[in-house]
PDB file of all heavy atoms in Angstrom:
ATOM      1  N   LEU G  42     -77.887 111.835-158.720  1.00 97.00           N
ATOM      2  CA  LEU G  42     -77.821 112.493-157.446  1.00 97.00           C
ATOM      3  C   LEU G  42     -79.185 112.327-156.742  1.00 97.00           C
ATOM      4  O   LEU G  42     -80.220 112.465-157.397  1.00 97.00           O
ATOM      5  CB  LEU G  42     -77.518 113.991-157.618  1.00 97.00           C
ATOM      6  CG  LEU G  42     -76.214 114.396-158.267  1.00 97.00           C
ATOM      7  CD1 LEU G  42     -76.165 115.879-158.542  1.00 97.00           C
ATOM      8  CD2 LEU G  42     -75.015 113.974-157.363  1.00 97.00           C
ATOM      9  N   THR G  43     -79.169 112.037-155.454  1.00 97.00           N
ATOM     10  CA  THR G  43     -80.401 111.874-154.688  1.00 97.00           C
ATOM     11  C   THR G  43     -80.381 112.774-153.464  1.00 97.00           C
ATOM     12  O   THR G  43     -79.449 112.776-152.679  1.00 97.00           O
ATOM     13  CB  THR G  43     -80.564 110.418-154.223  1.00 97.00           C
ATOM     14  OG1 THR G  43     -80.593 109.565-155.392  1.00 97.00           O
ATOM     15  CG2 THR G  43     -81.894 110.223-153.468  1.00 97.00           C
ATOM     16  N   PHE G  44     -81.468 113.555-153.329  1.00 96.00           N
ATOM     17  CA  PHE G  44     -81.663 114.446-152.188  1.00 96.00           C
ATOM     18  C   PHE G  44     -82.798 113.936-151.343  1.00 96.00           C
ATOM     19  O   PHE G  44     -83.907 113.712-151.855  1.00 96.00           O
ATOM     20  CB  PHE G  44     -82.002 115.881-152.734  1.00 96.00           C
ATOM     21  CG  PHE G  44     -81.617 116.993-151.794  1.00 96.00           C
ATOM     22  CD1 PHE G  44     -80.350 117.532-151.790  1.00 96.00           C
ATOM     23  CD2 PHE G  44     -82.597 117.508-150.905  1.00 96.00           C
ATOM     24  CE1 PHE G  44     -80.036 118.575-150.931  1.00 96.00           C
ATOM     25  CE2 PHE G  44     -82.296 118.535-150.026  1.00 96.00           C
ATOM     26  CZ  PHE G  44     -81.034 119.122-150.067  1.00 96.00           C
ATOM     27  N   ASP G  45     -82.542 113.684-150.044  1.00 94.00           N
ATOM     28  CA  ASP G  45     -83.556 113.065-149.199  1.00 94.00           C
ATOM     29  C   ASP G  45     -83.472 113.658-147.814  1.00 94.00           C
ATOM     30  O   ASP G  45     -82.378 113.852-147.261  1.00 94.00           O
ATOM     31  CB  ASP G  45     -83.347 111.561-149.176  1.00 94.00           C
ATOM     32  CG  ASP G  45     -84.389 110.824-148.424  1.00 94.00           C
ATOM     33  OD1 ASP G  45     -85.578 111.174-148.535  1.00 94.00           O
ATOM     34  OD2 ASP G  45     -84.030 109.860-147.652  1.00 94.00           O
ATOM     35  N   ASN G  46     -84.637 113.926-147.203  1.00 86.00           N
ATOM     36  CA  ASN G  46     -84.694 114.423-145.865  1.00 86.00           C
ATOM     37  C   ASN G  46     -83.834 115.712-145.668  1.00 86.00           C
ATOM     38  O   ASN G  46     -83.154 115.924-144.655  1.00 86.00           O
ATOM     39  CB  ASN G  46     -84.248 113.405-144.842  1.00 86.00           C
ATOM     40  CG  ASN G  46     -85.397 112.492-144.426  1.00 86.00           C
ATOM     41  OD1 ASN G  46     -86.566 112.873-144.532  1.00 86.00           O
ATOM     42  ND2 ASN G  46     -85.078 111.293-143.978  1.00 86.00           N
ATOM     43  N   GLY G  47     -83.888 116.570-146.705  1.00 88.00           N
ATOM     44  CA  GLY G  47     -83.235 117.875-146.555  1.00 88.00           C
ATOM     45  C   GLY G  47     -81.764 117.919-146.851  1.00 88.00           C
ATOM     46  O   GLY G  47     -81.121 118.959-146.646  1.00 88.00           O
ATOM     47  N   ARG G  48     -81.166 116.834-147.321  1.00 92.00           N
ATOM     48  CA  ARG G  48     -79.760 116.889-147.660  1.00 92.00           C
ATOM     49  C   ARG G  48     -79.400 115.907-148.757  1.00 92.00           C
ATOM     50  O   ARG G  48     -80.160 114.961-149.001  1.00 92.00           O
ATOM     51  CB  ARG G  48     -78.908 116.641-146.413  1.00 92.00           C
ATOM     52  CG  ARG G  48     -78.994 115.274-145.779  1.00 92.00           C
ATOM     53  CD  ARG G  48     -78.135 115.164-144.558  1.00 92.00           C
ATOM     54  NE  ARG G  48     -78.054 113.808-143.981  1.00 92.00           N
ATOM     55  CZ  ARG G  48     -78.912 113.333-143.149  1.00 92.00           C
ATOM     56  NH1 ARG G  48     -79.959 114.041-142.746  1.00 92.00           N
ATOM     57  NH2 ARG G  48     -78.746 112.098-142.683  1.00 92.00           N
ATOM     58  N   LEU G  49     -78.272 116.084-149.351  1.00 95.00           N
ATOM     59  CA  LEU G  49     -77.795 115.212-150.403  1.00 95.00           C
ATOM     60  C   LEU G  49     -77.428 113.837-149.769  1.00 95.00           C
ATOM     61  O   LEU G  49     -76.530 113.788-148.929  1.00 95.00           O
ATOM     62  CB  LEU G  49     -76.587 115.801-151.117  1.00 95.00           C
ATOM     63  CG  LEU G  49     -76.103 115.034-152.363  1.00 95.00           C
ATOM     64  CD1 LEU G  49     -77.145 115.094-153.454  1.00 95.00           C
ATOM     65  CD2 LEU G  49     -74.762 115.654-152.852  1.00 95.00           C
ATOM     66  N   LYS G  50     -78.145 112.809-150.147  1.00 94.00           N
ATOM     67  CA  LYS G  50     -77.948 111.494-149.568  1.00 94.00           C
ATOM     68  C   LYS G  50     -77.069 110.543-150.407  1.00 94.00           C
ATOM     69  O   LYS G  50     -76.488 109.615-149.919  1.00 94.00           O
ATOM     70  CB  LYS G  50     -79.292 110.804-149.340  1.00 94.00           C
ATOM     71  CG  LYS G  50     -79.997 111.250-148.079  1.00 94.00           C
ATOM     72  CD  LYS G  50     -79.306 110.666-146.845  1.00 94.00           C
ATOM     73  CE  LYS G  50     -80.107 110.960-145.559  1.00 94.00           C
ATOM     74  NZ  LYS G  50     -81.420 110.282-145.506  1.00 94.00           N
ATOM     75  N   GLY G  51     -77.050 110.832-151.718  1.00 94.00           N
ATOM     76  CA  GLY G  51     -76.297 109.905-152.571  1.00 94.00           C
ATOM     77  C   GLY G  51     -75.919 110.536-153.866  1.00 94.00           C
ATOM     78  O   GLY G  51     -76.632 111.402-154.401  1.00 94.00           O
ATOM     79  N   GLY G  52     -74.778 110.093-154.398  1.00 95.00           N
ATOM     80  CA  GLY G  52     -74.323 110.575-155.689  1.00 95.00           C
ATOM     81  C   GLY G  52     -73.403 109.559-156.344  1.00 95.00           C
ATOM     82  O   GLY G  52     -72.674 108.863-155.615  1.00 95.00           O
ATOM     83  N   SER G  53     -73.502 109.443-157.616  1.00 96.00           N
ATOM     84  CA  SER G  53     -72.643 108.469-158.308  1.00 96.00           C
ATOM     85  C   SER G  53     -72.312 108.980-159.694  1.00 96.00           C
ATOM     86  O   SER G  53     -73.094 109.697-160.299  1.00 96.00           O
ATOM     87  CB  SER G  53     -73.330 107.096-158.379  1.00 96.00           C
ATOM     88  OG  SER G  53     -74.414 107.160-159.238  1.00 96.00           O
ATOM     89  N   PHE G  54     -71.156 108.578-160.163  1.00 96.00           N
ATOM     90  CA  PHE G  54     -70.745 108.801-161.557  1.00 96.00           C
ATOM     91  C   PHE G  54     -69.893 107.608-161.999  1.00 96.00           C
ATOM     92  O   PHE G  54     -69.063 107.135-161.246  1.00 96.00           O
ATOM     93  CB  PHE G  54     -69.920 110.093-161.699  1.00 96.00           C
ATOM     94  CG  PHE G  54     -69.373 110.275-163.095  1.00 96.00           C
ATOM     95  CD1 PHE G  54     -70.168 110.818-164.089  1.00 96.00           C
ATOM     96  CD2 PHE G  54     -68.100 109.831-163.435  1.00 96.00           C
ATOM     97  CE1 PHE G  54     -69.701 110.964-165.391  1.00 96.00           C
ATOM     98  CE2 PHE G  54     -67.613 109.934-164.755  1.00 96.00           C
ATOM     99  CZ  PHE G  54     -68.420 110.537-165.728  1.00 96.00           C
ATOM    100  N   ASN G  55     -70.225 107.120-163.160  1.00 97.00           N
ATOM    101  CA  ASN G  55     -69.420 106.005-163.701  1.00 97.00           C
ATOM    102  C   ASN G  55     -69.277 106.111-165.194  1.00 97.00           C
ATOM    103  O   ASN G  55     -70.158 106.703-165.890  1.00 97.00           O
ATOM    104  CB  ASN G  55     -70.007 104.643-163.318  1.00 97.00           C
ATOM    105  CG  ASN G  55     -71.337 104.376-163.956  1.00 97.00           C
ATOM    106  OD1 ASN G  55     -72.363 104.859-163.474  1.00 97.00           O
ATOM    107  ND2 ASN G  55     -71.387 103.620-165.027  1.00 97.00           N
ATOM    108  N   THR G  56     -68.187 105.584-165.648  1.00 97.00           N
ATOM    109  CA  THR G  56     -67.976 105.561-167.123  1.00 97.00           C
ATOM    110  C   THR G  56     -67.499 104.131-167.469  1.00 97.00           C
ATOM    111  O   THR G  56     -66.813 103.472-166.704  1.00 97.00           O
ATOM    112  CB  THR G  56     -66.912 106.587-167.566  1.00 97.00           C
ATOM    113  OG1 THR G  56     -66.707 106.516-168.976  1.00 97.00           O
ATOM    114  CG2 THR G  56     -65.563 106.331-166.853  1.00 97.00           C
ATOM    115  N   ASP G  57     -67.918 103.679-168.623  1.00 97.00           N
ATOM    116  CA  ASP G  57     -67.625 102.293-169.035  1.00 97.00           C
ATOM    117  C   ASP G  57     -67.390 102.324-170.539  1.00 97.00           C
ATOM    118  O   ASP G  57     -67.995 103.092-171.296  1.00 97.00           O
ATOM    119  CB  ASP G  57     -68.782 101.371-168.690  1.00 97.00           C
ATOM    120  CG  ASP G  57     -68.339  99.904-168.668  1.00 97.00           C
ATOM    121  OD1 ASP G  57     -67.157  99.637-168.728  1.00 97.00           O
ATOM    122  OD2 ASP G  57     -69.202  99.055-168.581  1.00 97.00           O
ATOM    123  N   GLN G  58     -66.530 101.420-170.956  1.00 98.00           N
ATOM    124  CA  GLN G  58     -66.172 101.345-172.362  1.00 98.00           C
ATOM    125  C   GLN G  58     -65.712  99.943-172.709  1.00 98.00           C
ATOM    126  O   GLN G  58     -65.050  99.311-171.910  1.00 98.00           O
ATOM    127  CB  GLN G  58     -65.035 102.329-172.643  1.00 98.00           C
ATOM    128  CG  GLN G  58     -64.596 102.416-174.108  1.00 98.00           C
ATOM    129  CD  GLN G  58     -63.614 103.559-174.295  1.00 98.00           C
ATOM    130  OE1 GLN G  58     -64.030 104.722-174.366  1.00 98.00           O
ATOM    131  NE2 GLN G  58     -62.334 103.264-174.424  1.00 98.00           N
ATOM    132  N   GLY G  59     -66.105  99.459-173.878  1.00 98.00           N
ATOM    133  CA  GLY G  59     -65.681  98.147-174.256  1.00 98.00           C
ATOM    134  C   GLY G  59     -66.408  97.676-175.534  1.00 98.00           C
ATOM    135  O   GLY G  59     -67.087  98.457-176.201  1.00 98.00           O
ATOM    136  N   PHE G  60     -66.215  96.386-175.880  1.00 98.00           N
ATOM    137  CA  PHE G  60     -66.864  95.877-177.078  1.00 98.00           C
ATOM    138  C   PHE G  60     -67.497  94.519-176.768  1.00 98.00           C
ATOM    139  O   PHE G  60     -67.077  93.817-175.841  1.00 98.00           O
ATOM    140  CB  PHE G  60     -65.871  95.710-178.195  1.00 98.00           C
ATOM    141  CG  PHE G  60     -64.868  94.599-178.045  1.00 98.00           C
ATOM    142  CD1 PHE G  60     -65.149  93.280-178.410  1.00 98.00           C
ATOM    143  CD2 PHE G  60     -63.606  94.827-177.513  1.00 98.00           C
ATOM    144  CE1 PHE G  60     -64.261  92.247-178.257  1.00 98.00           C
ATOM    145  CE2 PHE G  60     -62.666  93.794-177.328  1.00 98.00           C
ATOM    146  CZ  PHE G  60     -63.010  92.545-177.681  1.00 98.00           C
ATOM    147  N   GLY G  61     -68.480  94.175-177.547  1.00 98.00           N
ATOM    148  CA  GLY G  61     -69.072  92.867-177.569  1.00 98.00           C
ATOM    149  C   GLY G  61     -69.009  92.288-178.972  1.00 98.00           C
ATOM    150  O   GLY G  61     -69.331  92.995-179.948  1.00 98.00           O
ATOM    151  N   LEU G  62     -68.575  91.053-179.098  1.00 98.00           N
ATOM    152  CA  LEU G  62     -68.490  90.407-180.391  1.00 98.00           C
ATOM    153  C   LEU G  62     -69.434  89.234-180.396  1.00 98.00           C
ATOM    154  O   LEU G  62     -69.339  88.342-179.551  1.00 98.00           O
ATOM    155  CB  LEU G  62     -67.055  89.943-180.671  1.00 98.00           C
ATOM    156  CG  LEU G  62     -66.786  89.201-181.993  1.00 98.00           C
ATOM    157  CD1 LEU G  62     -67.061  90.124-183.175  1.00 98.00           C
ATOM    158  CD2 LEU G  62     -65.379  88.639-182.017  1.00 98.00           C
ATOM    159  N   ARG G  63     -70.313  89.186-181.400  1.00 98.00           N
ATOM    160  CA  ARG G  63     -71.324  88.128-181.428  1.00 98.00           C
ATOM    161  C   ARG G  63     -71.297  87.414-182.750  1.00 98.00           C
ATOM    162  O   ARG G  63     -71.207  88.042-183.806  1.00 98.00           O
ATOM    163  CB  ARG G  63     -72.725  88.729-181.179  1.00 98.00           C
ATOM    164  CG  ARG G  63     -73.838  87.673-181.142  1.00 98.00           C
ATOM    165  CD  ARG G  63     -75.208  88.308-180.944  1.00 98.00           C
ATOM    166  NE  ARG G  63     -75.603  89.144-182.045  1.00 98.00           N
ATOM    167  CZ  ARG G  63     -76.832  89.240-182.555  1.00 98.00           C
ATOM    168  NH1 ARG G  63     -77.808  88.502-182.021  1.00 98.00           N
ATOM    169  NH2 ARG G  63     -77.082  90.057-183.551  1.00 98.00           N
ATOM    170  N   SER G  64     -71.440  86.088-182.711  1.00 97.00           N
ATOM    171  CA  SER G  64     -71.554  85.246-183.885  1.00 97.00           C
ATOM    172  C   SER G  64     -72.807  84.410-183.737  1.00 97.00           C
ATOM    173  O   SER G  64     -73.013  83.804-182.650  1.00 97.00           O
ATOM    174  CB  SER G  64     -70.343  84.328-184.060  1.00 97.00           C
ATOM    175  OG  SER G  64     -70.500  83.475-185.184  1.00 97.00           O
ATOM    176  N   VAL G  65     -73.682  84.347-184.731  1.00 96.00           N
ATOM    177  CA  VAL G  65     -74.946  83.643-184.660  1.00 96.00           C
ATOM    178  C   VAL G  65     -74.943  82.532-185.690  1.00 96.00           C
ATOM    179  O   VAL G  65     -74.690  82.775-186.888  1.00 96.00           O
ATOM    180  CB  VAL G  65     -76.146  84.579-184.928  1.00 96.00           C
ATOM    181  CG1 VAL G  65     -77.448  83.831-184.859  1.00 96.00           C
ATOM    182  CG2 VAL G  65     -76.111  85.740-183.905  1.00 96.00           C
ATOM    183  N   ALA G  66     -75.190  81.291-185.260  1.00 95.00           N
ATOM    184  CA  ALA G  66     -75.298  80.160-186.153  1.00 95.00           C
ATOM    185  C   ALA G  66     -76.559  79.395-185.814  1.00 95.00           C
ATOM    186  O   ALA G  66     -76.635  78.660-184.839  1.00 95.00           O
ATOM    187  CB  ALA G  66     -74.081  79.256-185.963  1.00 95.00           C
TER     188      ALA G  66
END
Side-chain angles (χ1 to χ4, degrees):
L42 299 172
T43 301
F44 204 86
D45 185 40
N46 274 338
R48 64 182 188 272
L49 187 66
K50 278 287 187 68
S53 68
F54 174 83
N55 65 280
T56 182
D57 198 11
Q58 182 171 284
F60 72 84
L62 179 64
R63 183 181 65 141
S64 177
V65 180

